[in-house]
Every structure is written in C-alpha cells, then in structure tokens.
Amino acid sequence: MVGVGAARRSWAAAVVVLQAAWALVGGQVRYSVPEEAEAGTVVGRLAQDLGLEAGEAEARRLRLVARGRRASVEVSGASGALVVSSRLDREELCGKSAPCALRLEVLLDRPLRVFHVEVEVTDINDNAPRFPNAYKNISVSENSPSGSRFPLEGASDADIGSNAQLSYTLSPSEHFALDVKISDEDRKSLFLVLTHPLDRESLSDHRLVLTASDGGRPALTGTVQLVISVLDANDNAPQFNQSVYKVQLPEDAAEGTLVGRVTATDPDEGINQEFSYSIVNTVPASQRDSFSIDPRTGEIRLTGPLDFEEVRINELQIEARDKGFPPLSGHCSVELEVLDVNDNAPEVWVTSLSVPVPEDAALGTVVALLSVSDRDSGPNGRVRCAVRPPSPFGLVATFAGSYSLVLREALDRERVSEYEVEVRAEDGGAPPLRASRGLRVPVSDVNDNAPAFAQAVYTVLARENNAAGAELARLWARDPDEAGNGRVSYSVAEGGAGTGAGSGSGSGWRPASSYVSVDAESGRLRALRPLDYEELQVLQFEVRAVDAGEPPLCGNATVQLFVVDENDNAPALLPPAGGGPWPWAAGEAAEPGSRPPGSAGSAGSAGSAVSSWSLWARAAWGAPAGQVVAKIRAVDADSGYNAWLRYELREPRGEGPFRVGLYSGEVSTARALEEADGPRQRLLIVVRDHGEPPRSATATLSVSLVEGAEAAVGAVSVSAGAGLRPAASAEGGSAASGASAATNVWLVVAICAVSSLLVLAVVLYGAGRWAPRAAVLAGPGPATLVCASEVGSWSYSQRQSRSLCVATDGAGKSDLMVFSPNCPPAPGPAPKETPQEPSSLLDT
C-alpha cells in the first residue's frame, strides 16, 4: 500500500509539472541587460523562469537560437542561466532604434519544446557627443545688427534617450551668445547670436568654444572651436521664404529624382544680391552623398539610394550665400520622409534541425524549427509559409514568425531514406516577393555496428621519466553507424603489471589505470605519472570503445606499452667481496690491516652500493708491470648502453706507477715499482657510464708499497667480479701463503683462457657477418637488439630482461652482459683502450 501511495503522489506531481510547462507554451520571457556588460554577466535565471527543476536544463539540452543576428548571450549548461557571452554594443546592434531588443528562441529536448525570449539591451552613456569638425569658421560683417543669427552644426551622440539629450554651452563672450531652438520632432537647431555690435578695427577675430554635454551620469562632452572673422561691407543676407521644407519620397526612388526646390531672396543690389545654394549639413551624416543641390536654381535631387529600413527621415541644412564682400548667408532646413515599398523578400532561417529522423518516430514529431521575417513594414512585412512538394511533413505556426516542421505521416526507411523538403515564404506586398529554404531530412536506422579498432594489438614505446600527462599514442576505432550510434567513447578496460617486474621482486600488482588513461573522446593515450624502467618494463592492458547507441555496442583492443630506458641512474660502487680490505668513507685514513670497529664477522653492508668508496691495498716493491693490485666493482641500475661502465684513473695524472682497466676495473702496475715511488700511492678512480649525459661515481684507492713478505700477506685474489680481498692472514705461515699464491696463478690462467675463447668466438661471429652491426628483430615474438665491440659483448632485450649474476656478493644485473679478459697485460706501457661506440638501442 505504501508503494501504491508513493506512485500516486509521483504521478500527481508529474501532472502539476506538465501543466506548468504547458502554461509556458506561446508565452514570452523578457529580460533587460545594459550594454557593455562584461562576459559572464547573468541576464536572468532562464531555467528557473521556465519552470525547470535543478539539473533538468542540462539534461534536456537547454540551448539558445538567435534569429538572424549575433546573439551575444548564451545559456550556461550547468545552471541554466542566461549569461552574456560577448560584447554587447547597443549602437552596433540597433543604431538609434529604441527599444533595442534581441529576440531569441530557447529549445528543450525530450520532448522538443520552444520558448521565446526577448532581451532588451538598455543604453548606457558610453558615447560622447561628436561635432562634425573640430573647427568652424564663421564670417560676420561688422555692420551686422545685434540679434543677427548664424546657424551652427550640432553634435551627434550615438546613444539614445537621456544619454543622447544634448545641451550646449558657449564660452563667455561679450559679443556672442548661443540660442537653441527645439522643433516639433525634438530636434535642436543651434544659432550663434550677435548680442553687441562688432568693430573690426578693435578686434577682427573672435575665438569661442562650443561645448556639447549629454544627459548621462556622468555626463560626456564634446567641443568645437568657433573661429569668427569680422568682415566689412555687405549687410543683408539672403532670406528663404520658408525656414523648414517637408518632403516625402518612396525608398525606391531612382537617382536624379527631384526632391524639392528652395527659394531665397536678397534685398541688396548688384553683386551683393547674387547668391548660390549649397548643402552644408545632413542628418544623419552618412547620407551626405545621397543628395545634391543646384547652386543657381535651388533644386535638390537624389544622388544615392534611399532605404526605409536604414533611415526613415533625412534632414538637410541648406545655405544661400551671396557674393558680396563680406558674403552673407541665409539658412533653411529640408526634412525628407522616406516611404516604405515592398523591396525586401522574406527571409527563412532554420533555427533547429533534428535529423536524422528515426523511421519509428511518432506522428507530430518536430523535425525542424524555422524563423521567417521580412524587413518591410505593414502588409509588405506579413508572410505566409507552405511546404512544397507534398511530403510526410507539414508546418505548424508556433509564434509570430516561428514555425515547426512536424511529421504528419509514417516513415518507411526501406522505401525512402531521405526527403528533400522546400519551405516557401511569400509576403503580402503588391507584387508579392517570395523566398524558399531547402531541407534535407534523412531517415536513420538502428544501432547495428560495433566500434572496431584498426589493429587488434597496439605496440607503444615510451621513454621513462616522461612528464605526467604526456601523450603516448592515439587509438582510433571506427563505427559506420550515424550520429550517436557512431559516436565512440574510449576507456581502459583491464590490465596491469607488477611493480617489481624489472627486478623480479614482484612487490605488488597495480592496475593499468594507475599508469595510463585514455581520453574518452579523442582516444589519446596519456601517462598519468612518470614511468620508471627499473620498476616497469612492459604494461599490457585492454582499451574498450563503446558507442552511444541504444543498446550500446563495444569493441576491444590490446595495448602493449614498452618502457624505454633512460640514463637516470649513476653507477654505484660495490663493497669488497668476502674479507677484502674494508672501504672507508671519503676523507678518512686507514692503516693496512685495520678494520672498522664492530665489522669483524659481519657482512651487513656487503651487498650495499654507494657512489664513493675509500679502499686500500698492498703492493710489493719490485712488482713487475701488469700485476693486478685490486679490482673496483660497480653496478648501474640502468640497462643496455646506459649501464655499460668504463673506469678511468683521474689522479695521479701523467705516467704513474698504476693503471686501471678501461672496462674491467682492475688496478694493475704500469711498470716495476721502485722505492722512489714512496711508501703509499693514492689513486682516484672515476666510474662512468655511456649514457647521455653520462653519469659517474668515484673511488679512492690507497696502495701501500711494502716488502715482498708483507705484500704476500696482503696479496689479493683476482677473479671475475671479485673486489679487494686478502689472500691469507699473517698467522697462516709461509706455506699457506705459497699455496694461496699458486692457486691465484692457476685461477688467473683459467680466467684468461676462458675470456680469450669467448672473445675469439665473438670476433669470428662478427667476421662472418662482415662487420660488427646492430640488428633489430621485429615480429610477433620479443624483439632483441645485439651489439658487439672489441672489449666484449652485451645484449639488450626490448620486451623481457635477463639477469647475469657473477660469483661475488654483489647483486644481479639486469639486461647487461659484459665479458672482459681479466689476464694481466704484457709488460711495458699500458696500451690505450679505445671503446667502440655501439649504435643507439632504440629511437622512440
């Protein structure tokens, strides 16, 4: 029973909302907004005034349609408010017409509804009065009587109402005053009145300033400078028989048509009685070139077109100037009223077109909204509309000048898939003028095609340390359906990777959505955060494309994202293996045979790696050239070329007693050691990778030069990957030392033999391929890049990583295999080792 009651209450509320909505049909909403309002200014709460609930305006796509002009306002999709979208200039929109109203149509979907909105743009005082010229020259005879009047050109103001109500003031003068006459049409005529007789001998020129102020708050002003020249002689000006002439002409009057004739007389005699006519001013000034006057007869003729829709009344200021010295003039005005004729054909606009139309659309479905107007007035502006040829569509009048094209018969797409509809408009003029607008109305089908990607699998390469939000690739799925059925949105469906994939730690699974995102509209694949090759090498996931049909259909594609390594890790030095000489912090001294306190029997830091070590070793005086004293071990967390390390001896410079292997890190004697070399040698060794830019680490090795017996106690064992390690303790006796030395010799021989065989095999393989080169294998399987050089070989895998573990306490190294001969070089100067620069691994 509770459910039934709730259903009844919901139905009753729906009926009330429906009745309120129907009450708005045919109504009109009016707003007012001042011109020059800033963009974003709220004109009115349109959604609330139309009776829409919260969120309903955006859901039903409340939108605005202008009728034949730029609207300058728009509907905010979120709030449903009517806001200013661009600059509103009342003078640009309506000129001097008042009121200035924007007639708009507001549309709602589901169901399609139309409302009419009128926005009145009110005037603000944003235009100052303007005179035609900055200077005005006036000639006045010195015998002009007091009270003589001289017409002045008034100022114009583009504003309307009180903002265009002009008042004039004249700068103080003892000879002149300003007189303003107001006509029946509220037009102001300005006259400069002579208040006191002039004396040219006392003052021949008078300079006054005429100021025009409008009625705005605050008021704006414009000025013109009057230059009055006092002349002598001629004392009678021509006089017109009428001060105002009124004339009417149709707007289609041809050029050369006689507008009217003005007549003036001059009571003077001789040359002072002869005068000529001229047009000194027109209102509006844009019509100046549309009229001409015969200077002898006073006939005014039309020299340009008239347009009732642009200017309905033209005012001409006529001057009759005699030929006396100084010349005198009389003035009159001609008011020309333009009569409307049927010279504008109707205009038809399609304000909304809802196509394609579903073939199962119900009768009465609104297909299009049309707006019809005629710039003429009266019967010439009344328009009738019809649809031709006969079709399943018809017109329904919804408002003055607004029609709806509705469906009146059932559609069958299999019979007709598209209609060509012509809407014809005819005005009531004599003869009538006609206009038409053609519409293409296609009939749509159902959603029967799923989106399909161009590839089933996309392979994407991305360099690590990319910027968050960087675009990685663009995916595109094609849907042959139309409109919403073919509009595709993209999303990451599934997939991910372990965060410890690079090192095999498998520390946890993260979904692909934590690494990448796909733009729902464009399909652009972007990185959500910087990628780290040491954490993630391969990320595989699926991208889903779903259309907007009903029901929606989808398609999938697999994306394999491979992270390309960058040189973002510096080499790190490894501590000595086993019980070798203990590394000391840089700057500390260490005596031979000493260890840090608490280090005995502990290997807690054996596997750690740092960027700087201080090591020590022993060498016997007289040791031959090429004897290995110590070996520096380092590791780089990068892969491939960025992890290929080389060792350089920075100090001492020049020809010292020691040298370091360029790629092996073995420190050996460069010549026989002598007592002149001192009791101790300090070596500064730099470990540098081959990345761009290269990164490096340093190690300080202190070599103590001792007698042969002490050197035997501190001798080191050199093996592949081994660090500094003492061969035997002093308590072992001479027999243990001899056995250990013999073992070292055989171990060195074995390592040299194995390394030599490996180098020989690589050289033979390279010779068989004619030259060392890089080959990229592309295909469905993992692509591997292999390079060779004279110092060894290394392998880089694009899709999977392999580890090579050496027989030391150091950590395994991913993606890099280096094989270098460890046998001591021949006595003599150390040969210069020049590495061969391999080709770049991968270019994204």
Side-chain angles (χ1 to χ4, degrees):
M1 293 300 292
V2 176
V4 173
R8 290 179 178 175
R9 288 194 298 270
S10 176
W11 179 83
V15 170
V16 172
V17 173
L18 182 61
Q19 291 176 349
W22 277 109
L24 292 174
V25 174
Q28 185 166 342
V29 181
R30 297 177 181 271
Y31 296 105
S32 176
V33 62
E35 67 173 331
E36 304 297 341
E38 295 182 359
T41 301
V42 177
V43 179
R45 303 188 179 277
L46 183 58
Q48 181 178 347
D49 295 339
L50 295 181
L52 302 181
E53 296 181 358
E56 188 178 357
E58 186 173 5
R60 295 182 60 185
R61 295 183 62 239
L62 180 65
R63 60 193 184 276
L64 193 68
V65 179
R67 296 179 56 187
R69 62 174 63 177
R70 177 171 60 86
S72 300
V73 293
E74 64 182 6
V75 176
S76 175
S79 63
L82 188 65
V83 299
V84 177
S85 61
S86 60
R87 179 175 178 263
L88 281 171
D89 189 351
R90 194 207 63 77
E91 289 75 21
E92 179 182 350
L93 294 174
C94 303
K96 299 291 287 187
S97 299
C100 179
L102 301 177
R103 294 177 176 84
L104 312 172
E105 291 180 353
V106 177
L107 305 182
L108 276 175
D109 289 339
R110 297 190 301 275
L112 182 62
R113 297 285 307 282
V114 59
F115 299 92
H116 297 274
V117 177
E118 182 173 299
V119 179
E120 180 182 0
V121 182
T122 59
D123 184 53
I124 65 172
N125 192 25
D126 59 342
N127 292 280
R130 294 175 59 90
F131 286 92
N133 300 295
Y135 296 88
K136 174 68 176 178
N137 295 318
I138 302 175
S139 298
V140 180
S141 176
E142 69 172 339
N143 59 1
S144 297
S146 299
S148 298
R149 303 166 65 86
F150 306 93
L152 300 176
E153 295 181 68
S156 61
D157 194 321
D159 296 324
I160 62 173
S162 61
N163 295 329
Q165 295 294 328
L166 303 182
S167 60
Y168 299 87
T169 57
L170 187 67
S171 59
S173 173
E174 63 177 330
H175 295 282
F176 297 94
L178 182 66
D179 185 18
V180 179
K181 296 291 185 181
I182 302 177
S183 63
D184 297 337
E185 291 78 16
D186 200 24
R187 297 177 181 272
K188 294 183 178 180
S189 300
L190 306 181
F191 296 90
L192 186 66
V193 180
L194 182 63
T195 57
H196 292 82
L198 299 174
D199 184 4
R200 189 191 62 82
E201 288 70 21
S202 300
L203 183 63
S204 61
D205 291 322
H206 297 262
R207 293 182 179 270
L208 306 176
V209 176
L210 177 61
T211 303
S213 302
D214 60 22
R217 292 293 183 272
L220 302 179
T221 61
T223 61
V224 60
Q225 186 172 11
L226 304 179
V227 179
I228 304 172
S229 301
V230 180
L231 306 177
D232 207 357
N234 187 23
D235 57 349
N236 288 290
Q239 298 291 327
F240 288 91
N241 57 359
Q242 291 180 233
S243 60
V244 179
Y245 295 82
K246 294 187 177 182
V247 185
Q248 291 183 339
L249 274 183
E251 63 175 332
D252 59 348
E255 294 185 10
T257 300
L258 178 64
V259 177
R261 175 183 294 179
V262 295
T263 303
T265 59
D266 193 327
D268 293 332
E269 296 181 353
I271 194 172
N272 293 330
Q273 190 181 26
E274 298 177 4
F275 56 86
S276 61
Y277 300 95
S278 63
I279 301 175
V280 296
N281 187 32
T282 61
V283 179
S286 58
Q287 297 293 106
R288 182 69 177 266
D289 297 331
S290 298
F291 305 93
S292 65
I293 188 171
D294 191 308
R296 186 175 61 85
T297 63
E299 292 182 350
I300 302 173
R301 293 188 178 274
L302 193 63
T303 58
L306 298 177
D307 193 348
F308 173 82
E309 287 72 30
E310 295 293 335
V311 180
R312 300 189 179 188
I313 295 179
N314 293 272
E315 182 178 352
L316 311 179
Q317 294 288 341
I318 308 300
E319 178 185 77
R321 182 181 293 270
D322 64 20
K323 298 180 180 179
F325 187 84
L328 301 179
S329 61
H331 300 83
C332 72
S333 63
V334 178
E335 292 182 2
L336 172 61
E337 181 182 358
V338 182
L339 304 179
D340 181 49
V341 297
N342 190 27
D343 62 340
N344 291 283
E347 295 178 333
V348 181
W349 296 290
V350 179
T351 58
S352 178
L353 183 62
S354 300
V355 293
V357 180
E359 61 178 339
D360 59 350
L363 298 182
T365 299
V366 178
V367 178
L369 297 177
L370 300 103
S371 178
V372 181
S373 65
D374 194 319
R375 297 181 62 194
D376 295 325
S377 61
N380 298 329
R382 288 195 288 267
V383 182
R384 300 182 300 272
C385 294
V387 175
R388 294 287 185 276
S391 65
F393 305 96
L395 287 177
V396 175
T398 58
F399 196 74
S402 299
Y403 294 87
S404 296
L405 183 67
V406 299
L407 183 63
R408 290 184 173 174
E409 299 177 10
L411 300 177
D412 186 1
R413 181 184 177 278
E414 285 67 28
R415 184 171 60 87
V416 179
S417 62
E418 186 176 274
Y419 291 89
E420 293 288 343
V421 180
E422 184 181 22
V423 178
R424 296 183 181 179
E426 178 180 287
D427 64 21
L433 299 179
R434 299 176 180 88
S436 63
R437 174 73 64 180
L439 301 176
R440 292 177 61 253
V441 182
V443 181
S444 65
D445 205 352
V446 297
N447 183 29
D448 57 348
N449 291 281
F453 286 90
Q455 300 174 222
V457 178
Y458 288 83
T459 300
V460 180
L461 301 181
R463 295 186 178 275
E464 69 172 338
N465 300 323
N466 58 292
E471 182 177 342
L472 304 179
R474 183 173 182 179
L475 310 179
W476 180 73
R478 179 179 179 272
D479 193 329
D481 291 332
E482 297 179 346
N485 296 331
R487 187 170 60 251
V488 180
S489 60
Y490 303 86
S491 62
V492 177
E494 59 182 5
T499 57
S503 61
S505 62
S507 60
W509 172 268
R510 286 186 179 174
S513 58
S514 65
Y515 292 98
V516 295
S517 67
V518 61
D519 187 87
E521 295 182 1
S522 63
R524 286 184 169 88
L525 185 66
R526 301 182 184 275
L528 293 178
R529 61 179 184 175
L531 300 177
D532 188 359
Y533 176 84
E534 288 70 30
E535 174 188 343
L536 176 69
Q537 287 84 48
V538 180
L539 178 64
Q540 180 169 320
F541 55 92
E542 284 190 357
V543 175
R544 176 172 298 170
V546 181
D547 63 24
E550 188 65 33
L553 302 177
C554 66
N556 296 328
T558 301
V559 179
Q560 294 180 342
L561 175 64
F562 294 93
V563 183
V564 181
D565 183 50
E566 292 283 333
N567 188 29
D568 59 342
N569 291 283
L573 298 170
L574 295 176
W582 197 262
W584 295 86
E588 296 182 2
E591 292 299 327
S594 64
R595 298 174 65 88
S599 63
S602 173
S605 62
S608 62
V610 296
S611 60
S612 178
W613 279 115
S614 292
L615 312 173
W616 62 268
R618 295 178 179 177
W621 280 315
Q627 180 174 334
V628 177
V629 175
K631 181 171 183 177
I632 306 300
R633 300 188 311 148
V635 66
D636 195 319
D638 294 323
S639 298
Y641 203 56
N642 297 325
W644 187 18
L645 304 180
R646 61 181 179 183
Y647 302 81
E648 301 172 359
L649 184 60
R650 176 176 294 179
E651 294 180 5
R653 300 183 181 274
E655 297 295 331
F658 296 95
R659 64 186 177 189
V660 62
L662 183 60
Y663 296 101
S664 63
E666 294 177 349
V667 180
S668 60
T669 57
R671 53 177 173 77
L673 299 178
E674 302 172 354
E675 293 185 1
D677 294 327
R680 177 177 295 181
Q681 290 284 331
R682 180 180 177 276
L683 308 181
L684 181 61
I685 300 171
V686 178
V687 184
R688 195 186 311 274
D689 60 25
H690 286 73
E692 282 297 328
R695 298 177 179 272
S696 62
T698 59
T700 302
L701 177 63
S702 297
V703 182
S704 299
L705 304 183
V706 297
E707 296 295 338
E710 292 182 80
V713 175
V716 297
S717 175
V718 181
S719 60
L724 299 177
R725 182 167 53 190
S729 62
E731 290 83 353
S734 60
S737 299
S740 176
T743 302
N744 290 340
V745 172
W746 286 110
L747 182 58
V748 170
V749 172
I751 291 174
C752 291
V754 173
S755 300
S756 299
L757 289 176
L758 180 58
V759 172
L760 179 60
V762 172
V763 172
L764 291 177
Y765 175 77
R769 302 289 288 181
W770 293 101
R773 60 182 179 175
V776 177
L777 307 178
T784 304
L785 183 66
V786 179
C787 296
S789 69
E790 63 182 356
V791 298
S793 65
W794 53 276
S795 172
Y796 175 81
S797 172
Q798 176 181 334
R799 298 190 181 180
Q800 66 181 31
S801 61
R802 300 181 177 87
S803 299
L804 173 66
C805 297
V806 296
T808 66
D809 295 337
K813 184 68 191 75
S814 300
D815 298 328
L816 182 67
M817 292 186 293
V818 179
F819 305 92
S820 301
N822 294 331
C823 56
K832 183 178 181 182
E833 302 179 8
T834 303
Q836 177 183 355
E837 293 292 336
S839 60
S840 62
L841 297 180
L842 186 60
D843 188 12
T844 302

